[in-house]
Amino acid sequence: MRLKDIDFENRTLFIFRGKGKKDRVCILPKIAIDPIQQQMCHVRETHAHDLSQGLGMASLPPSLLKKFGTSAKQLHWQFLFPSIHCVSHPINGYLCRHHIDPTTFRKALKKAVQKATITKRITAHTFRHSFATNLLRRGHDIRTVQELLGHTDVKTTQIYTHVAGLHQTGVQSPMDYS
């Protein structure tokens, strides 16, 4: 995710080529705004340092680099979670700062799950399932959840009604009311 993909005003995140290689717009929760802004300050500082060293190019696909050229040095192209080190771009060879390696996130998640003593298997995808399940449990309609998850077919989304303990109609047993 790049800085340009975060919209605080509309509280959305643009996800480029997410699950199924689909682009999506996601909800930015209020609770995440401050931590994201703090991370953006870190990115600004890192980027300013890179620029002072004659670096600062973001890793871009060759077609975008050709289209935007040196504007790839602008802050909005930088990744929200940049790599610690600058590397040589695999295609064009220029020095750039890519995003963190996915294994870095997986290791941090595993460590957090162990620290929280959670006994269930947790992956990054678990958050997607939890998001959908919680929306359905709170009474949001299945079409809204379908749109938010980017499912083409509502049948894919209906799986979450079973996970949420809801019937297809969204009705819970009266014994389960709190």
Side-chain angles (χ1 to χ4, degrees):
M1 178 181 314
R2 298 178 191 271
L3 299 189
K4 68 178 188 57
D5 299 329
I6 303 163
D7 183 347
F8 291 112
E9 187 176 323
N10 294 310
R11 292 195 19 231
T12 58
L13 303 170
F14 178 75
I15 307 299
F16 178 72
R17 289 191 192 153
K19 186 173 186 315
K21 302 271 188 246
K22 293 181 182 177
D23 297 344
R24 291 189 173 81
V25 176
C26 300
I27 300 168
L28 174 61
K30 287 179 190 175
I31 196 169
I33 291 174
D34 283 344
I36 288 175
Q37 287 175 333
Q38 289 172 14
Q39 178 62 23
M40 289 175 86
C41 286
H42 169 71
V43 172
R44 276 187 201 93
E45 291 168 4
T46 302
H47 185 57
H49 179 265
D50 286 351
L51 289 171
S52 74
Q53 301 296 310
L55 302 169
M57 293 282 283
S59 177
L60 293 177
S63 57
L64 282 181
L65 185 63
K66 184 177 179 182
K67 180 177 181 178
F68 295 115
T70 57
S71 72
K73 283 190 174 186
Q74 291 180 355
L75 181 64
H76 67 265
W77 282 111
Q78 302 305 309
F79 288 103
L80 180 60
F81 299 104
S83 174
I84 294 172
H85 305 287
C86 289
V87 296
S88 179
H89 191 275
I91 298 171
N92 294 8
Y94 63 91
L95 281 179
C96 61
R97 191 175 296 276
H98 203 59
H99 57 72
I100 61 169
D101 191 277
T103 59
T104 304
F105 175 79
R106 283 194 293 273
K107 288 175 186 175
L109 179 60
K110 182 179 179 180
K111 195 175 190 179
V113 167
Q114 288 172 342
K115 186 176 181 180
T117 63
I118 297 171
T119 57
K120 292 184 177 185
R121 181 176 177 266
I122 306 288
T123 66
H125 201 73
T126 304
F127 297 106
R128 184 174 165 84
H129 293 303
S130 297
F131 177 78
T133 303
N134 279 294
L135 287 176
L136 289 169
R137 283 185 179 151
R138 292 186 173 266
H140 293 280
D141 68 282
I142 198 159
R143 294 283 182 192
T144 301
V145 177
Q146 174 190 4
E147 185 178 325
L148 288 169
L149 293 179
H151 291 159
T152 307
D153 190 343
V154 75
K155 288 179 184 176
T156 308
T157 314
Q158 284 176 331
I159 294 166
Y160 294 104
T161 61
H162 301 293
V163 175
L166 305 173
H167 289 64
Q168 301 264 338
T169 60
V171 176
Q172 287 182 310
S173 167
M175 295 179 77
D176 290 333
Y177 296 156
S178 48

